[in-house]
Amino acid sequence: QRLKAAVHYTVGCLCQDVAEDKDVQFSKQTIAAISEITFRQCENFAKDLEMFARHAKRSTVTTEDVKLLARRSNSLLKYITQKSEELASRNMEQKEKKKKKSSAAKGGRTGEQETAVTESEDSNMA
């Protein structure tokens, strides 16, 4: 129910923006109809995505499933592909940074451990 209300609110805001930009009016019934159609379409998208993942014997929806869903809209598919590539490159950069940090931390700990062992041996000799 809250999700449906959020969709209705968002559609109302979009209609208001278009109305101002194009100098037109949207009736409350029109906004309600667009909201209902949008909500139903989103439900269909969710079911399709679930089916795509299930067909691939997965329990998780992937970006490939979303691309498959968007295949009929070239501009949407292009946008999703671009965003997916951006996210993938960011994830790779973050993984590389983590690797560098963890390897630097491991190297630092090893040096500290060697120092502690050396100090321990020195105190035993005294």
Side-chain angles (χ1 to χ4, degrees):
Q1 214 49 9
R2 288 177 57 195
L3 184 58
K4 207 170 196 177
V7 170
H8 183 75
Y9 173 77
T10 304
V11 168
C13 291
L14 290 170
C15 286
Q16 187 176 0
D17 290 347
V18 170
E20 291 170 3
D21 189 45
K22 303 292 182 184
D23 196 30
V24 295
Q25 293 280 323
F26 289 93
S27 69
K28 289 184 179 185
Q29 293 85 359
T30 302
I31 293 171
I34 294 170
S35 297
E36 186 62 29
I37 291 168
T38 302
F39 191 80
R40 286 184 187 175
Q41 189 63 42
C42 287
E43 286 180 324
N44 289 337
F45 286 164
K47 289 174 186 173
D48 286 348
L49 288 170
E50 189 178 347
M51 288 297 132
F52 294 158
R54 190 178 295 164
H55 180 73
K57 296 181 179 27
R58 288 183 276 106
S59 59
T60 305
V61 173
T62 66
T63 54
E64 294 305 312
D65 298 324
V66 177
K67 289 177 188 177
L68 184 60
L69 182 71
R71 70 192 180 280
R72 291 190 181 108
S73 171
N74 289 332
S75 58
L76 181 59
L77 181 59
K78 184 178 178 181
Y79 179 81
I80 289 171
T81 302
Q82 177 188 354
K83 289 297 178 184
S84 173
E85 289 169 358
E86 287 175 15
L87 286 171
S89 67
R90 278 193 211 140
N91 286 342
M92 290 299 288
E93 289 172 7
Q94 288 177 349
K95 284 181 183 178
E96 288 176 11
K97 286 180 183 177
K98 284 182 182 179
K99 278 185 180 179
K100 287 179 183 177
K101 284 183 181 178
S102 67
S103 63
K106 285 178 184 176
R109 275 190 242 139
T110 305
E112 290 171 7
Q113 289 170 347
E114 289 172 3
T115 305
V117 169
T118 306
E119 288 174 2
S120 172
E121 289 171 354
D122 290 344
S123 64
N124 286 340
M125 290 182 168

